[in-house]
Amino acid sequence: MIYQVAAAINEINGKIKLPASKSICNRALIINALSYSPYPIKNLSDSDDTRVLEAALFSNSNKFDIGHAGTAMRFLTAFLAKIVGEWEITGSERMKQRPIAILVEALSQLGAKIDYLGAEGCPPLKIFGSHLKGKTLELDGSVSSQYISALLLIAPTIENGLTLKLKGHITSRSYIKLTLELMAKFGIQYRWDDNEIFVPEQKYLARDFTCEADWSGASYWYQIMAMIDSGKVLVENLLLDSLQGDAAIAEWFEQFGVSSTQQADGVLLSKNKNRQPDRLVLDFIENPDVAQTMACLCVAKNIPFLFSGLKTLKIKETDRIAALQNELAKFGVAITEPEHGKLAWDGTIDQEQKEDKPIINTYHDHRMALAFAPMALAGRALQIDDPMVITKSYPGFWNDLKKVGFKISE
């Protein structure tokens, strides 16, 4: 299936209800299960990632297929390692290529027994759940924060707790902070000094909990507001004072003339000034999930950029560095990778390479569809291949675009 996306809009006014943050929902689901809570988590995301994790946690089976859901793979691997029994967990073909050895080796040091059923170091896994004993683990701080969060979530339930020593520069520190702050909301004490995190053995306390809206999802509405002349959009259930690191984008977009105001029912995005930076320099070390949003925005508005902190993008749903280079080339743009973890564009557009109505390949990556669709506001229709990939995180995205005047058709 291919969607045609067009938008001849100068002003937008409306109200959008985003899905809840799957980062918060997925962590809260694991915590809720570990606390044996009688309270269901409220405002759960209806994204694929959250639905497959919830289904696994409430399943009577010992075999789980989590599709493309990387967070569910990492979190469930750690969770099942301490639940007595034999478990199998698999996923999509892409998931079977994504590394998980760092987490498996860390769990093995705690007493877990996990076998690879396919390629060494990747899912699918056979997990023999058992009692785990805590110790001090050393991990490279530049690895995916999901490995670290997976270990932290089960840390209070491990005999003697867990100490993590993170070596080198810590990637996505904001996601580790999110994990610990959520754990604290369920009664967990911890200590984080420099690169060492200690979580003693203790019990999670059952709590009534409501998930807030997703800031990664909000980034596409900031992107849209940056591309129009004027308007206001209320993003419901969004908090400026958020647990999510991606809330930092509210300040980033001020230089695009987009202001953010907290209201009782959400955050009001307002576009009152048509302005933009001459060149955009950003470090995504805490916010890798909004890199595609910003790259597409810069190309659409002809803003040269230098982005850093992108080392984890190669092991996401797809190699997001290569995917951005491939698809933005269809706009006559050559995105370079000056060094590992960086992306740059000098503002040059090759008109001969520019396609009239580009077909954007999504590579089974929801954020490719979500980030590229708003580029239609630059005055040229585009096409999105495999458009329903957005169900991974934002199932209502196409309907929300239609609400504000985008033309979406098959």
Side-chain angles (χ1 to χ4, degrees), residues 205-250:
L205 302 177
R207 292 277 193 260
D208 195 16
F209 185 78
T210 301
C211 298
E212 62 179 86
D214 179 33
W215 267 98
S216 299
S219 75
Y220 311 112
W221 290 97
Y222 276 92
Q223 178 186 7
I224 288 167
M225 297 301 286
M227 294 184 66
I228 61 169
D229 294 334
S230 62
K232 293 183 178 180
V233 168
L234 177 69
V235 184
E236 295 181 308
N237 199 32
L238 196 66
L239 299 175
L240 286 175
D241 183 17
S242 172
L243 293 173
Q244 301 168 69
D246 285 351
I249 66 171

Side-chain angles (χ1 to χ4, degrees), residues 135-156:
K135 59 182 295 187
T136 297
L137 295 179
E138 289 192 357
L139 287 177
D140 182 352
S142 68
V143 302
S144 170
S145 63
Q146 290 182 11
Y147 299 140
I148 297 167
S149 290
L151 292 166
L152 289 174
L153 287 168
I154 66 168

Side-chain angles (χ1 to χ4, degrees), residues 175 215-216 219-220 246 249 252 284 287-295 367:
Y175 284 96
W215 267 98
S216 299
S219 75
Y220 311 112
D246 285 351
I249 66 171
W252 293 3
F284 290 87
N287 323 86
D289 283 343
V290 295
Q292 288 144 295
T293 307
M294 302 309 294
R367 300 207 187 280

Side-chain angles (χ1 to χ4, degrees), residues 391-408:
T391 61
K392 179 177 171 64
S393 65
Y394 192 163
F397 181 65
W398 301 119
N399 286 333
D400 285 348
L401 289 189
K402 289 177 184 177
K403 283 182 190 175
V404 298
F406 278 71
K407 304 296 183 185
I408 314 288

Side-chain angles (χ1 to χ4, degrees), residues 177 180-181 183-184 188-192 197-200 202:
K177 182 181 179 185
L180 290 168
E181 289 186 354
M183 290 166 62
I188 296 304
Q189 304 286 324
Y190 67 89
R191 186 179 70 247
W192 188 354
I197 305 172
F198 172 60
V199 181
Q202 58 199 293

Side-chain angles (χ1 to χ4, degrees), residues 2-5 357-361 372 381-385:
I2 292 178
Y3 273 6
Q4 318 288 326
V5 183
K357 197 173 183 181
I359 298 177
I360 306 303
N361 294 319
F372 273 84
L382 51 85
Q383 303 172 82
I384 305 289
D385 192 14

Side-chain angles (χ1 to χ4, degrees), residues 104-158:
V104 169
E105 289 166 8
L107 290 167
S108 297
Q109 290 185 55
L110 303 176
K113 186 178 185 314
I114 302 174
D115 293 339
Y116 297 112
L117 298 178
E120 188 75 13
C122 299
L125 304 174
K126 175 101 170 181
I127 301 170
F128 301 87
S130 60
H131 180 77
L132 303 182
K133 292 186 178 181
K135 59 182 295 187
T136 297
L137 295 179
E138 289 192 357
L139 287 177
D140 182 352
S142 68
V143 302
S144 170
S145 63
Q146 290 182 11
Y147 299 140
I148 297 167
S149 290
L151 292 166
L152 289 174
L153 287 168
I154 66 168
T157 68
I158 296 174

